[in-house]
Amino acid sequence: LALSTTVVAWNDLLRSQWESAMKHAIHLGLISHFLISTLYGATGKTLVPIGKYESYAKDAILAEDQKIVAVGSSNNGALNEFAIAKFKSNGKLDPSFGNKGQVLLKVGTGESSAQSVDTGYGQRWYYVGGQAKDGAGNFRFSVVRLNSSGQVDPGYGTNGVAMPSIGEQDYLRSIQLDTHGRVLGLGYTNNGTREELAIIRLTEDGQLDTGFSSDGKFTLAMGGSEMANDSLLNDFSGKIWLYKSPQVSRIPFCKILA
């Protein structure tokens, strides 16, 4: 199906929905080095080193069992790689996940960084998205799927990683499962001339969904990295809404009819 876009004005209802989401994100208190604040640890925060060197958190989700899964990157001394950590409700690492609560993944052929995480229905899977270099040394959208124990699902994508190609360099900033369990990915791409906003949709087994924009990917000349770095996707009744931080006046909303 062909996609169309509509820009609509910010209104009080949508602003209220955004502010509610932001309050939830602020409650998590997520900052660099996997610092989780609020109801965790004796002092209300937990500082946990991930890997051997510098580590940075980019996103986190609160699961139904009140455990938090945080994702970002960790430097192994040579390059950055995907880093995932799971915390119990008391702020301590969950030893049932990965290696004592941590999973470090070398995705692609070089530098990689996780940017976003979402969970499948029933908490069976964790989906982690970011960017990683392909065999040609170009950054690509990259999504991996892990089970509740932190093991990568080899049946997802190709050898456990979905890494579609969009432009010359592609950078994924956020992912979300839609109402059918498919991954929506938002980021930006450089086509050699300019940056463009980029959206993909993956099937349940990690392949580009040809029912979305005929090839599973969609680009829009709408701000590139500036827009992608400060926006979120939401799926409402089969329509994808792209919206931007209210810190900027007269914020546009982009509705994509999938």
Side-chain angles (χ1 to χ4, degrees), residues 26 37 70 75 77 92 112 119 125 136 154 157 181 185 205 212 240 252-253 258:
I26 292 170
S37 64
N75 190 286
K92 297 183 182 299
S112 62
T119 183
W125 302 109
D205 60 356
F212 176 77
I240 302 168
F253 273 64

Side-chain angles (χ1 to χ4, degrees), residues 50-192:
I50 305 298
K52 295 182 179 180
Y53 299 97
E54 294 180 332
S55 57
Y56 299 90
K58 292 294 186 179
D59 192 21
I61 54 169
L62 181 64
E64 291 179 357
D65 57 4
Q66 301 304 303
K67 294 180 181 180
I68 282 181
V69 176
V71 303
S73 64
S74 177
N75 190 286
N76 62 15
L79 46 77
N80 291 321
E81 55 190 0
F82 274 38
I84 305 103
K86 189 174 184 179
F87 296 85
K88 298 191 294 184
S89 58
N90 62 4
K92 297 183 182 299
L93 287 169
D94 182 355
S96 69
F97 184 81
N99 181 15
K100 299 179 180 179
Q102 306 178 25
V103 174
L104 300 177
L105 291 177
K106 184 179 183 300
V107 180
T109 61
E111 290 280 339
S112 62
S113 174
Q115 301 286 325
S116 184
V117 60
D118 202 357
T119 183
Y121 300 107
Q123 310 292 316
R124 180 184 177 189
W125 302 109
Y126 296 113
Y127 295 81
V128 181
Q131 61 271 337
K133 287 190 174 182
D134 62 12
N138 300 315
F139 279 108
R140 299 298 177 211
F141 281 21
S142 303
V143 181
V144 297
R145 183 166 71 183
L146 291 78
N147 63 21
S148 59
S149 299
Q151 297 173 318
V152 174
D153 176 14
Y156 189 76
T158 301
N159 298 323
V161 183
M163 192 179 287
S165 174
I166 304 171
E168 291 190 4
Q169 303 284 342
D170 311 323
Y171 303 89
L172 182 62
R173 287 297 179 259
S174 65
I175 62 171
Q176 181 196 43
L177 261 70
D178 71 5
T179 53
H180 300 284
R182 300 168 299 197
V183 169
L184 287 167
L186 168 68
Y188 65 98
T189 182
N190 189 313
N191 62 14

Side-chain angles (χ1 to χ4, degrees), residues 156-235:
Y156 189 76
T158 301
N159 298 323
V161 183
M163 192 179 287
S165 174
I166 304 171
E168 291 190 4
Q169 303 284 342
D170 311 323
Y171 303 89
L172 182 62
R173 287 297 179 259
S174 65
I175 62 171
Q176 181 196 43
L177 261 70
D178 71 5
T179 53
H180 300 284
R182 300 168 299 197
V183 169
L184 287 167
L186 168 68
Y188 65 98
T189 182
N190 189 313
N191 62 14
T193 303
R194 65 183 183 185
E195 289 182 351
E196 295 185 339
L197 202 69
I199 298 172
I200 63 167
R201 190 168 75 187
L202 302 175
T203 61
E204 292 185 69
D205 60 356
Q207 306 299 321
L208 283 170
D209 184 356
T210 56
F212 176 77
S213 188
S214 75
D215 59 0
K217 47 194 178 182
F218 175 68
T219 59
L220 181 66
M222 191 177 177
S225 58
E226 179 184 356
M227 191 72 181
N229 286 335
D230 200 19
S231 302
L232 293 174
L233 288 173
N234 257 319
D235 175 42

